[in-house]
Amino acid sequence: MSYVNLKVYSGDSLEELVEVLKIAIARRSLVIILGECRVDYEGRAASRLELGERVVIIKQDSALLVHRPHGYSPVNWQPSTAIIEVTFKPSVGLVLHAVRDRPREYLTVVFVRVGLVVIGELVDQGGFTMYLEERDMRDILAENPWIIEEDLRVLGVEKPIGEGYVDIYALDKSGRHVLVELKRITATREAALQLYRYVEVYRKEHGETPRGILIAPSFAPTALETLTRLGLEYRYVDLKRLWELFKKRESKRVSLQEFFTKK
Amino acid sequence: MSYVNLKVYSGDSLEELVEVLKIAIARRSLVIILGECRVDYEGRAASRLELGERVVIIKQDSALLVHRPHGYSPVNWQPSTAIIEVTFKPSVGLVLHAVRDRPREYLTVVFVRVGLVVIGELVDQGGFTMYLEERDMRDILAENPWIIEEDLRVLGVEKPIGEGYVDIYALDKSGRHVLVELKRITATREAALQLYRYVEVYRKEHGETPRGILIAPSFAPTALETLTRLGLEYRYVDLKRLWELFKKRESKRVSLQEFFTKK
DNA sequence: CGTGCCAGGTGCCAT
DNA sequence: ATGGCACTTGGCACG
């Protein structure tokens, strides 16, 4: 294994573990604790979690997660801005304090029993790429505006309108300006209202009412109602079709890169 | 420790681990794997994560999390509806497949090296209670409407208005109806618009323009602008004040409970 | 730093 | 199942 420091503690007393954990946290190691604990949180809201067996992870940037044996999401947590302290309180247990500012939030984990502690320093430089984000959808449509409608000329993307940004700003074949709002998933009423705000601000600033088009793979009924009521247009977009175009584009980019590398 | 089955595997070959993992997953044990892996995801979006050292957790309901050494959120995951399979592919590695329907999504984790595997069955029956959610704010204000204004009579909470629900529906001392929208944190323009929709729908349905009040601990400038423009009112709420009232309410509830229990 | 907005958002509860 | 909405939303990008 490439792990420089991967240590496992099992059967140690809480007092012994406190010292181990203090060092690990000071070193910004990854820490995993399996044990029986209580958790209190107070900050934007407040919560109490009674005694039970959980997995607590302290990450190398001091993010802290408390995971129950079920479910996707942590029951309690503290993001990476937190400062973490470990103490041992006799007749109480091993206490983790995680505090962060802005917003001021306090998280306290009290372990009454610890079954296992794992400490390690993970090396993770692997690149992460996400495809089919809204940004990709926007880029593909901006490069292939014929998907939206014929003879559409794209003037810009992420054009600032008032306090927001319209995804695509274009000119149609009759010379009318078009504001396009994109949703990668089902468009809600909020999306329609967002587009409407852009249209209104544009109208006030330019004295010209632009067309507003909402593009999404599907639309909530309230979205359709709102669009119709506000005189906005909409188009369904076939994500698979975009995906195909995207893959082509990606492979092109890759081959170019390879070309340059080889050269 | 109360852990019935807490086992640690270190230094085993990938082929050996596959068998261990198959049994653990079939038994719905909690599994933690520390190792070097690649991750591919395809579903609503698609992603690729290159080689690096990570923590993979398979929960007892087969939720799967891939955590990098930094950050609050998992880089990849699969919720508890997933079906998980483990296989060993020579010259590739230890492969985890997690698939779910609706939406159809595929997650593949390929470990080329594994430093540690922990398998256990966690018992966690501890109750979890969250305080100071919007629901609490609503209940406290509905029970103490004098905080909002004098002589306000609450007619209902979560009253359906059109397709949404207004948080508090009330009657003021002049006999005018009041729609109250609450935000536990800084109110945005969206909150003001949400309230405005309720006011408009109510006006159309009842032929009477109700007052609309947005209540929050703070307001974004765009929220204030929108409120003023649309003729809506707003009130600041002191969360600490509510918190005190809430604690009193809770303690009252507890004492009552104790009373009944003792009796 | 706040404000706006996306996210594989997730989760809860309604019809 | 779909819709509407809160969330300790987290995260990023921009003014």
Side-chain angles (χ1 to χ4, degrees):
Chain A
M1 272 305 301
S2 60
Y3 297 114
V4 183
N5 292 308
L6 189 62
K7 287 177 190 157
V8 179
Y9 299 84
S10 175
D12 301 71
S13 75
L14 295 182
E15 281 169 282
E16 289 168 326
L17 288 175
V18 166
E19 294 313 310
V20 170
L21 289 172
K22 277 183 177 167
I23 294 166
I25 288 165
R27 276 196 188 171
R28 304 195 142 269
S29 299
L30 180 92
V31 176
I32 301 174
I33 308 171
L34 279 90
E36 199 175 1
C37 64
R38 256 183 267 277
V39 186
D40 277 294
Y41 154 73
E42 191 174 330
R44 286 166 291 182
S47 73
R48 160 154 294 189
L49 177 63
E50 301 298 345
L51 216 55
E53 297 174 353
R54 281 127 206 169
V55 182
V56 171
I57 302 175
I58 302 170
K59 298 255 200 125
Q60 289 168 198
D61 59 351
S62 78
L64 190 153
L65 309 170
V66 182
H67 272 282
R68 308 189 80 165
H70 295 90
Y72 155 84
S73 44
V75 59
N76 284 110
W77 69 91
Q78 200 69 281
S80 59
T81 47
I83 291 169
I84 296 175
E85 279 179 11
V86 196
T87 49
F88 174 72
K89 287 189 183 163
S91 80
V92 176
L94 192 160
V95 183
L96 294 178
H97 276 288
V99 182
R100 73 156 158 167
D101 294 330
R102 251 181 322 279
R104 191 76 178 174
E105 299 199 292
Y106 304 87
L107 185 68
T108 310
V109 184
V110 179
F111 280 99
V112 297
R113 283 192 278 187
V114 170
L116 188 76
V117 171
V118 180
I119 293 169
E121 269 135 54
L122 270 58
V123 179
D124 182 0
Q125 307 290 342
F128 180 69
T129 40
M130 175 76 82
Y131 308 95
L132 279 181
E133 295 169 286
E134 199 189 65
R135 173 164 41 86
D136 301 311
M137 189 172 163
R138 183 243 293 157
D139 291 347
I140 298 166
L141 288 174
E143 285 175 25
N144 307 276
W146 53 268
I147 296 172
I148 303 171
E149 69 179 33
E150 269 183 64
D151 297 326
L152 194 69
R153 194 150 64 86
V154 172
L155 304 176
V157 296
E158 295 299 315
K159 179 187 167 62
I161 301 267
E163 282 143 354
Y165 300 83
V166 71
D167 290 318
I168 298 177
Y169 175 51
L171 199 65
D172 73 7
K173 62 180 165 190
S174 72
R176 214 170 145 204
H177 286 99
V178 182
L179 306 184
V180 179
E181 177 64 28
L182 303 175
K183 289 296 157 199
R184 201 182 46 78
I185 51 175
T186 306
T188 62
R189 173 172 42 198
E190 295 311 318
L193 290 170
Q194 192 179 343
L195 175 58
Y196 183 66
R197 279 202 299 277
Y198 296 146
V199 168
E200 281 299 286
V201 171
Y202 190 97
R203 189 173 59 79
K204 275 173 195 149
E205 287 185 355
H206 296 76
E208 173 213 332
T209 306
R211 292 169 58 196
I213 308 180
L214 182 56
I215 301 185
S218 63
F219 295 82
T222 52
L224 292 176
E225 185 275 326
T226 305
L227 286 163
T228 312
R229 184 164 53 81
L230 298 174
L232 301 170
E233 305 167 50
Y234 61 94
R235 302 271 185 286
Y236 288 89
V237 73
D238 186 339
L239 267 178
K240 283 221 171 59
R241 196 175 175 187
L242 287 188
W243 175 246
E244 292 309 315
L245 278 164
F246 183 70
K247 275 199 292 195
K248 244 183 272 173
R249 212 178 55 133
E250 278 305 290
S251 55
K252 202 198 296 177
R253 186 186 293 169
V254 169
S255 3
L256 271 172
Q257 207 168 14
E258 277 177 6
F259 174 77
F260 285 123
T261 311
K262 278 169 189 167
K263 216 184 163 207
Chain B
M1 272 306 300
S2 62
Y3 296 114
V4 183
N5 292 308
L6 189 60
K7 287 178 190 156
V8 180
Y9 299 84
S10 175
D12 302 70
S13 75
L14 295 181
E15 281 169 281
E16 289 167 328
L17 288 175
V18 167
E19 294 311 312
V20 170
L21 289 171
K22 275 183 178 168
I23 293 165
I25 287 165
R27 276 194 188 175
R28 304 194 142 270
S29 299
L30 179 92
V31 176
I32 301 175
I33 309 171
L34 279 91
E36 198 174 2
C37 64
R38 256 183 267 275
V39 187
D40 277 294
Y41 154 75
E42 192 174 330
R44 286 167 291 180
S47 73
R48 160 155 294 188
L49 177 63
E50 300 298 345
L51 215 54
E53 298 174 352
R54 282 126 206 171
V55 182
V56 171
I57 301 176
I58 302 170
K59 297 248 199 134
Q60 290 170 195
D61 59 352
S62 79
L64 190 154
L65 308 170
V66 182
H67 272 282
R68 308 190 79 165
H70 295 89
Y72 156 85
S73 44
V75 59
N76 283 109
W77 68 90
Q78 201 66 285
S80 58
T81 46
I83 290 168
I84 297 176
E85 281 179 10
V86 196
T87 48
F88 175 72
K89 287 190 183 162
S91 82
V92 175
L94 191 159
V95 182
L96 294 177
H97 275 288
V99 182
R100 72 155 160 167
D101 293 333
R102 258 181 317 280
R104 192 75 178 175
E105 300 199 288
Y106 305 86
L107 185 69
T108 310
V109 184
V110 179
F111 280 99
V112 296
R113 282 192 280 187
V114 171
L116 188 76
V117 171
V118 180
I119 292 170
E121 269 134 53
L122 270 58
V123 179
D124 182 0
Q125 307 290 341
F128 179 69
T129 41
M130 176 79 81
Y131 308 95
L132 278 181
E133 296 169 287
E134 197 189 64
R135 173 162 41 86
D136 300 311
M137 188 171 164
R138 183 243 294 157
D139 292 347
I140 297 166
L141 287 175
E143 286 174 25
N144 307 276
W146 53 268
I147 296 171
I148 303 172
E149 71 180 29
E150 269 182 63
D151 297 326
L152 194 69
R153 193 151 63 87
V154 173
L155 304 176
V157 296
E158 294 299 316
K159 179 186 165 63
I161 301 265
E163 282 142 351
Y165 299 84
V166 71
D167 289 318
I168 297 177
Y169 175 52
L171 200 64
D172 73 9
K173 61 180 167 191
S174 73
R176 212 169 145 206
H177 286 99
V178 182
L179 306 185
V180 179
E181 177 64 27
L182 303 175
K183 288 298 156 196
R184 200 179 45 76
I185 50 174
T186 307
T188 62
R189 173 173 43 200
E190 294 310 320
L193 290 170
Q194 192 179 344
L195 175 58
Y196 183 65
R197 279 201 301 277
Y198 296 145
V199 168
E200 281 300 286
V201 170
Y202 191 96
R203 189 174 60 77
K204 275 174 195 147
E205 286 185 357
H206 296 76
E208 173 213 331
T209 306
R211 293 169 57 198
I213 308 180
L214 182 56
I215 301 185
S218 64
F219 296 82
T222 52
L224 293 176
E225 184 274 326
T226 306
L227 285 164
T228 311
R229 184 164 53 81
L230 299 175
L232 301 170
E233 304 167 50
Y234 61 95
R235 302 269 186 287
Y236 288 89
V237 74
D238 185 340
L239 266 178
K240 281 220 172 62
R241 196 176 174 185
L242 287 188
W243 175 243
E244 292 310 314
L245 279 163
F246 184 69
K247 274 199 292 194
K248 247 184 268 173
R249 212 177 57 132
E250 279 303 292
S251 54
K252 201 198 297 177
R253 188 186 291 168
V254 170
S255 4
L256 271 172
Q257 208 167 11
E258 277 176 6
F259 175 76
F260 285 123
T261 311
K262 277 169 188 166
K263 216 185 162 201

